[in-house]
Amino acid sequence: MVDAPLRLMGLDPGSQRTGYGIIQAGDRSKPELVAAGVISAPAKQPMERRLQKIYRELREVIASHRPQEMAVEGVFAAKNARTAIMLGQARGVALLAGAQDGLEVFEYPPASVKMALVGTGRATKEQVQMMVKAMLNTTARLPLDASDALALAICHLQSRKLLAKGLK
Amino acid sequence: MVDAPLRLMGLDPGSQRTGYGIIQAGDRSKPELVAAGVISAPAKQPMERRLQKIYRELREVIASHRPQEMAVEGVFAAKNARTAIMLGQARGVALLAGAQDGLEVFEYPPASVKMALVGTGRATKEQVQMMVKAMLNTTARLPLDASDALALAICHLQSRKLLAKGLK
C-alpha cells in the first residue's frame, strides 16, 4: 500500500473566497494537479448562507476527488477581532467539511509553506504560484487563492516525505 | 398564524463549551423554557473533531425541538487573534447547523442582551441567569453558558415584539 497514489487537499479558507487544490503523488513520482479552484461567497449574502455555500461546495469537491488528508494554514494573526472571527467561521466550516468525510487535518504556518516552496518565508503569492505551476508541471490558469491552497498540499507532501525518511 | 407559538433558539458558541437554549412564546403568553444545555468539546481532541461534535449535537437539538429562528451574540472583540479564530470556528459550525435547517439568524451585541434582561449593559452572568430564570418562571439548574443562550433567545423575542408594535 506504500506505493498507492496519495491524494492531498490544500485549503485556503476565507469569508469571501476559499481556495482549494488537490494533488496526487505516488512514492516515487512527481506530484500531479488533480483539481483546483475558488469558492466565492458574496459579502452581500447573510453570513449563514455564505458558510452553507462554502460547506456544500467543499463537500462536493471532496466527494468528487476523494483526497485522504487535508492541509490548512495555521492562522494566528489578523488585523482585528472582527476579521479573525469572520476568517474563523469560514475555517470552521471548511475543517468540518473535511472531518465529515474522515480527512485528517494538518496545519502549517504561512511562513513554512512559503519557505518549503520558494525558499524564503517572505515570498509573494505570485512567486508561490510560479513555483506551484513548475512543481506540478502545469500551465493551467490558477487564481492566487487556488495556488495558495495547492502550495499547502505540496508543503504537506514534502513534510510527509521528510517524516517518512526520518522514520527509516 | 399570528398567535401560533413561536420557538426561538439562543446560542452562545465557544471552542470548548457551546451553550444553547430554546424558548416558546405565544403572542399573549409569557415565554416558556423548552430546552437548554451545553455542548462540551474537550480541548484535548483535534479541532476538527470538536467542530464536528458541536455541529452534530446542535443539529440533533434543532431536530428535536424545531426552533424557527436563532439568535447569537455579535462578537467583535477578543483577547487575541488566536482566541478570535477559535471562537469564529465554533461560531461558523453553529451558524451552519442553523442554516442547514432553514433557521434565520439574528445577532445581538452582548451589551444589548444584558440591557434587555437586567437593565444595564454591565450585568454579570449570574445576574443574567437570575433574570432568565425569573422571566421563564423556572427553577431548573442552568449552567451559565445555557442561561446566556436563553438570554439571547429572550432578547430576540423582545426585539421581535418591539418591531411588531412599531409596525402597527
Side-chain angles (χ1 to χ4, degrees):
Chain A
M1 288 298 287
V2 178
D3 289 301
L6 180 74
R7 288 198 166 187
L8 303 177
M9 179 169 197
L11 204 60
D12 182 21
S15 60
Q16 293 191 41
R17 294 170 59 82
T18 291
Y20 65 88
I22 297 169
I23 61 172
Q24 176 163 313
D27 246 22
R28 287 176 197 89
S29 57
K30 288 191 71 175
E32 284 168 35
L33 173 64
V34 174
V38 174
I39 299 168
S40 294
K44 62 186 172 199
Q45 283 187 9
M47 180 49 73
E48 65 272 22
R49 297 285 153 239
R50 291 158 66 186
L51 296 172
Q52 222 176 356
K53 184 165 189 269
I54 296 169
Y55 179 74
R56 188 180 58 237
E57 296 192 13
L58 271 183
R59 292 213 63 183
E60 285 168 9
V61 168
I62 293 168
S64 299
H65 302 292
R66 298 259 155 238
Q68 288 120 309
E69 295 176 3
M70 181 185 266
V72 291
E73 250 183 30
V75 196
F76 302 110
K79 260 182 268 180
N80 57 51
R82 192 188 152 81
T83 310
I85 287 169
M86 302 283 272
L87 170 60
Q89 291 182 167
R91 198 172 192 270
V93 301
L95 293 179
L96 178 68
Q100 298 284 57
D101 282 301
L103 274 74
E104 205 176 342
V105 178
F106 298 81
E107 287 191 16
Y108 296 93
S112 305
V113 179
K114 292 174 183 170
M115 179 67 82
L117 270 90
V118 187
T120 158
R122 290 167 162 270
T124 64
K125 281 174 177 283
E126 288 75 13
Q127 287 174 309
V128 168
Q129 182 172 79
M130 212 162 61
M131 284 306 298
V132 164
K133 285 187 175 186
M135 292 171 92
L136 297 177
N137 195 23
T138 178
T139 54
R141 281 196 59 203
L142 294 172
L144 289 172
D145 296 293
S147 52
D148 272 357
L150 286 167
L152 275 154
I154 294 171
C155 172
H156 179 48
L157 177 65
Q158 292 181 351
S159 141
R160 284 180 115 263
K161 284 185 178 169
L162 289 174
L163 195 66
K165 277 183 195 158
L167 290 175
K168 271 176 194 166
Chain B
M1 288 298 286
V2 178
D3 289 302
L6 179 74
R7 287 197 168 189
L8 304 178
M9 179 169 197
L11 204 59
D12 183 20
S15 59
Q16 293 191 42
R17 294 170 59 82
T18 291
Y20 65 87
I22 297 170
I23 60 171
Q24 175 162 315
D27 245 21
R28 286 177 198 87
S29 57
K30 288 190 74 174
E32 283 168 36
L33 173 64
V34 174
V38 174
I39 299 168
S40 294
K44 62 185 172 199
Q45 283 187 10
M47 181 49 73
E48 64 271 22
R49 298 285 154 239
R50 292 158 66 185
L51 296 172
Q52 222 175 356
K53 184 163 189 267
I54 297 169
Y55 179 75
R56 187 180 59 237
E57 295 191 15
L58 271 183
R59 291 212 64 182
E60 285 168 8
V61 168
I62 293 169
S64 300
H65 301 293
R66 298 260 154 237
Q68 288 121 310
E69 295 176 4
M70 182 186 265
V72 291
E73 250 184 30
V75 196
F76 303 108
K79 260 182 270 181
N80 57 51
R82 191 186 152 84
T83 311
I85 287 169
M86 301 282 271
L87 171 61
Q89 290 182 168
R91 198 172 192 270
V93 301
L95 293 179
L96 179 68
Q100 298 284 55
D101 282 301
L103 273 75
E104 204 176 342
V105 178
F106 298 81
E107 287 191 16
Y108 296 92
S112 305
V113 179
K114 291 173 183 172
M115 179 66 84
L117 270 88
V118 187
T120 159
R122 291 166 159 274
T124 64
K125 281 174 176 282
E126 288 75 12
Q127 287 174 310
V128 168
Q129 181 172 80
M130 214 163 61
M131 283 308 296
V132 163
K133 286 188 174 185
M135 291 171 94
L136 297 178
N137 195 24
T138 178
T139 54
R141 282 195 59 204
L142 294 172
L144 289 172
D145 297 293
S147 52
D148 271 358
L150 287 167
L152 274 154
I154 294 171
C155 172
H156 179 49
L157 177 66
Q158 291 182 350
S159 143
R160 285 180 112 265
K161 284 185 177 169
L162 288 173
L163 195 67
K165 276 183 194 158
L167 291 174
K168 272 174 191 167

